[in-house]
C-alpha cells in the first residue's frame, strides 16, 4: 500500500531563519507531487507541483522554493522566513495517469514564524 | 476566474439531519469537482467527486448535485452523524492539465450535535 510521510509535524522558527520541510511517498513510483498551504479560513492553496525529478512548477510567487531530488521525495524550502509564511503545509501525491483524480495528502507540517 | 466560492463557513446540524454545503465556480474549463473531508490535525481525504457529464452522484449518505449551467455544485449529507463533524472543502480542476492542481473553496466547518 502507498503511504506519504511529512516531517517535521510542528515547527516554530524565527523570522529570517531558513526552512526545510520534507515529504516522501512509499509504495508507488513516478507520482505527481504537490505542496499546498492551508491558512485559517482560507482553504488550501497550491504552491508547487512536480511531474518528475528536478521538474518543479511554481503556482504562486512567494518566498518559498521546492525541489525534487529523488522520484518520491519532495522538499519545501526557504532561505529567510517571513511572518506570512506561517501556516499548515500539506504534501500530496497523485498517481501518474490516474483517471480517478484522487489526491492523497500527508498529515501536514504546522509552521509558526515568530 | 480561478475562484471557487464555498458557503456556509460553518454549519451546525442535529444528529439525523441533512447537511448541505454549496459551492460556485467561475472557470468553465473546470471539469472535475471533488469534495474533501478534513479532521483536526490531519490532511484532507477525498470524500466523493463528480464530473460535469452527470448531474448527481451518490455514495452512501453523501450526494453531490451538479448544475453546469449555474456553475454550482453542492454536497448533501443525509442522516448526519457526530462522526461527520469535520471541515469540508469543495474543489475544482481541469483534467487536461492535472487532477491534482485543485482550486479549493474556503472550507465549511460542520458540527453535528448528538
Amino acid at each position: 500500500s502507498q503511504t506519504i510521510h511529512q516531517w517535521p509535524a510542528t515547527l516554530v522558527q524565527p523570522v529570517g531563519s531558513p526552512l526545510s520541510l520534507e515529504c516522501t511517498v512509499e509504495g508507488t513510483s513516478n507520482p505527481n507531487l504537490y505542496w499546498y498551504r492551508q491558512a485559517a479560513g482560507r482553504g488550501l492553496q497550491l504552491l508547487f507541483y512536480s511531474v518528475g525529478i528536478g521538474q518543479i512548477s511554481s503556482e504562486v510567487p512567494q518566498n518559498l522554493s521546492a525541489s525534487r531530488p529523488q522520484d518520491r521525495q519532495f522538499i519545501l524550502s526557504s532561505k529567510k522566513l517571513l511572518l506570512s509564511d506561517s501556516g499548515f503545509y500539506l504534501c500530496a501525491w497523485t498517481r501518474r495517469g490516474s483517471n480517478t483524480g484522487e489526491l492523497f495528502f500527508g498529515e501536514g507540517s504546522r509552521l509558526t514564524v515568530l | 476566474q480561478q475562484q471557487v466560492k464555498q458557503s456556509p463557513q460553518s454549519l451546525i446540524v442535529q444528529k439525523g439531519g441533512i447537511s448541505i454545503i454549496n459551492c460556485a465556480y467561475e472557470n468553465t474549463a473546470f471539469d472535475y469537482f471533488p469534495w474533501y473531508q478534513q479532521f483536526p490535525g490531519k490532511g484532507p481525504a477525498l470524500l466523493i467527486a463528480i464530473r460535469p457529464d452527470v448531474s448527481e452522484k451518490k455514495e452512501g449518505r453523501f450526494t453531490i448535485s451538479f448544475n453546469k449551467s449555474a456553475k454550482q455544485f453542492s454536497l448533501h449529507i443525509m442522516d448526519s452523524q457526530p462522526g461527520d463533524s469535520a471541515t469540508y472543502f469543495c474543489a475544482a480542476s481541469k483534467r487536461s492539465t492535472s487532477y491534482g492542481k485543485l482550486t479549493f473553496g474556503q472550507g465549511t466547518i460542520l458540527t453535528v450535535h448528538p
Side-chain angles (χ1 to χ4, degrees):
Chain A
S1 63
Q2 299 84 16
T3 56
I4 179 169
H5 302 282
Q6 272 188 254
W7 70 95
T10 305
L11 196 60
V12 180
Q13 291 286 99
V15 169
S17 64
L19 172 73
S20 180
L21 300 178
E22 296 195 29
C23 170
T24 59
V25 180
E26 296 178 358
T28 189
S29 57
N30 301 316
N32 290 337
L33 296 173
Y34 309 81
W35 278 109
Y36 279 85
R37 177 168 58 199
Q38 184 174 16
R42 295 182 61 184
L44 289 83
Q45 181 184 36
L46 178 61
L47 302 177
F48 298 98
Y49 161 60
S50 173
V51 298
I53 296 173
Q55 300 179 63
I56 309 294
S57 297
S58 175
E59 295 296 310
V60 292
Q62 58 206 316
N63 183 44
L64 303 169
S65 62
S67 62
R68 185 170 177 175
Q70 300 179 44
D71 180 49
R72 290 170 291 171
Q73 184 184 23
F74 207 20
I75 298 171
L76 185 70
S77 304
S78 174
K79 292 182 179 178
K80 289 185 178 181
L81 284 169
L82 306 172
L83 286 173
S84 58
D85 292 324
S86 293
F88 191 47
Y89 290 84
L90 290 154
C91 181
W93 70 276
T94 57
R95 280 189 184 84
R96 187 73 54 82
S98 168
N99 62 359
T100 67
E102 184 166 4
L103 192 62
F104 299 93
F105 284 92
E107 298 272 290
S109 296
R110 187 165 301 282
L111 170 66
T112 302
V113 182
L114 301 174
Chain B
Q1 197 177 18
Q2 293 292 323
Q3 282 187 320
V4 176
K5 296 182 180 179
Q6 183 173 346
S7 63
Q9 282 189 311
S10 62
L11 181 61
I12 299 174
V13 175
Q14 291 297 121
K15 179 182 176 181
I18 302 173
S19 304
I20 302 174
I21 304 171
N22 300 299
C23 285
Y25 63 98
E26 299 173 356
N27 189 344
T28 55
F30 287 147
D31 57 5
Y32 174 68
F33 304 90
W35 285 88
Y36 280 79
Q37 179 188 55
Q38 184 180 31
F39 293 105
K42 302 293 185 182
L46 179 67
L47 187 63
I48 188 172
I50 198 168
R51 295 172 187 173
D53 51 343
V54 297
S55 60
E56 185 175 282
K57 183 175 181 180
K58 183 177 181 179
E59 290 184 1
R61 296 185 293 109
F62 301 91
T63 300
I64 298 179
S65 297
F66 183 79
N67 186 328
K68 188 173 181 178
S69 61
K71 294 187 287 185
Q72 295 176 347
F73 58 111
S74 60
L75 176 69
H76 290 62
I77 306 174
M78 310 300 288
D79 187 26
S80 298
Q81 300 296 312
D84 297 330
S85 298
T87 301
Y88 292 81
F89 294 96
C90 62
S93 69
K94 292 181 285 186
R95 286 178 288 165
S96 60
T97 52
S98 169
Y99 279 109
K101 294 175 69 176
L102 292 167
T103 299
F104 281 87
Q106 298 91 327
T108 296
I109 301 172
L110 172 64
T111 303
V112 181
H113 285 314

